[in-house]
Amino acid sequence: MLSIKNLHATIGDKEILKGINLEVKAGEVHAIMGPNGAGKSTLASIIAGNENYEVTDGAIFLDGEDLSDLAPEERAHKGVFLSFQYPVEIPGVSVTNFMRTAINETRKAQGLEEMPANQMLKVIREKSELLEIDRKFLSRSLNEGFSGGEKKRNEIFQMAMLEPKLAILDETDSGLDIDALRIVANGVNKLKSDKNAVVVITHYQRLLDYIVPDFVHVLLDGKIVKSGNASLALELEEKGYDWIKQEQEA
Ligand SMILES: Nc1ncnc2c1ncn2[C@@H]1O[C@H](COP(=O)(O)OP(=O)(O)O)[C@@H](O)[C@H]1O
Ligand SMILES: [Mg+2]
């Protein structure tokens, strides 16, 4: 599904990604871990098409298609979802209305008609029940006064509604309390299928107590230096990242 080959990227004149190779197949959950500043968020942004970074070498493929020349919206329409896409507060636009617009825009880009209102309501009901989202939450203004947990709930709800092929969840290091972690993990576990794939980026092993990844990759200084199964995350929790740095130097 996702294939990243020898990806190098810079911002200004600073090289941040220094040759990333990653293969993610449908049905898999991958975790990318690494210390602050390793380039995790940069990688997520570049997959989603953030134009502040310059890809200087290598390429990213989705189902065999080179994404290089596609704008962020086009990538989204092809099924790439990055968390924190819409962190803005939009007073007067409810969570439900926002989702309706997002879905219909995607459908339009795919040459489909707008989703009929009754079907939209049915899908919203189904997904919100699946994720145990309160009705009241759906009528609130987007992100306005949302707590950390509510932002996560909104994000996971977006993911459920848009049904992306590839979801990338960048769980930035701060502000994720245990409730927020559970919301993210429950969402991922309930939404995963043999047709989609999830890449979870996290600094802490904690999240992986709830989401069991098929593969764990360690990103250090712009490169994936080690890959393994879920037990690698536990090893990192116990020994930190220095151990891998030493292994690299040896
Ligand atoms: N907009 C930017 N301008 C300059 N440097 C940046 C920018 N974004 C990220 N960086 C640098 O790139 C490196 C990787 O950052 P980031 O991808 O956010 O790491 P992580 O998510 O692993 O903590 C850091 O050294 C950071 O300072
Ligand atoms: Mg980050």
Side-chain angles (χ1 to χ4, degrees), residues 12-58:
D13 50 13
K14 187 177 174 197
E15 185 170 51
I16 300 175
L17 301 185
K18 303 175 181 173
I20 302 271
N21 291 291
L22 182 66
E23 297 290 327
V24 178
K25 297 200 176 74
E28 293 177 350
V29 177
H30 289 241
I32 297 181
M33 302 183 70
N36 276 323
K40 305 183 298 295
S41 297
T42 300
L43 177 62
S45 301
I46 291 175
I47 298 171
N50 184 322
E51 283 148 3
N52 294 324
Y53 301 91
E54 191 188 348
V55 173
T56 51
D57 201 0

Side-chain angles (χ1 to χ4, degrees), residues 159-171:
M159 183 174 134
M161 293 295 293
L162 294 171
E163 299 184 334
K165 247 189 230 175
L166 173 69
I168 304 163
L169 304 174
D170 188 359
E171 298 315 321

Side-chain angles (χ1 to χ4, degrees), residues 62-132:
L62 185 72
D63 290 334
E65 182 185 8
D66 188 343
L67 296 181
S68 305
D69 294 329
L70 298 187
E73 316 80 72
E74 294 172 300
R75 298 182 194 208
H77 294 149
K78 289 191 184 290
V80 177
F81 175 91
L82 174 63
S83 60
F84 294 117
Q85 279 182 113
Y86 308 102
V88 286
E89 294 189 2
I90 314 185
V93 173
S94 66
V95 171
T96 299
N97 275 328
F98 176 79
M99 282 320 313
R100 187 175 290 150
T101 307
I103 285 192
N104 280 330
E105 273 180 11
T106 305
R107 290 175 66 96
K108 204 163 121 194
Q110 294 168 343
L112 300 171
E113 305 262 304
E114 286 201 350
M115 189 184 278
N118 58 347
Q119 195 191 339
M120 182 74 76
L121 282 177
K122 184 165 163 268
V123 179
I124 290 175
R125 194 176 307 129
E126 277 170 14
K127 302 290 182 182
S128 56
E129 276 169 15
L130 177 73
L131 299 173
E132 296 165 52

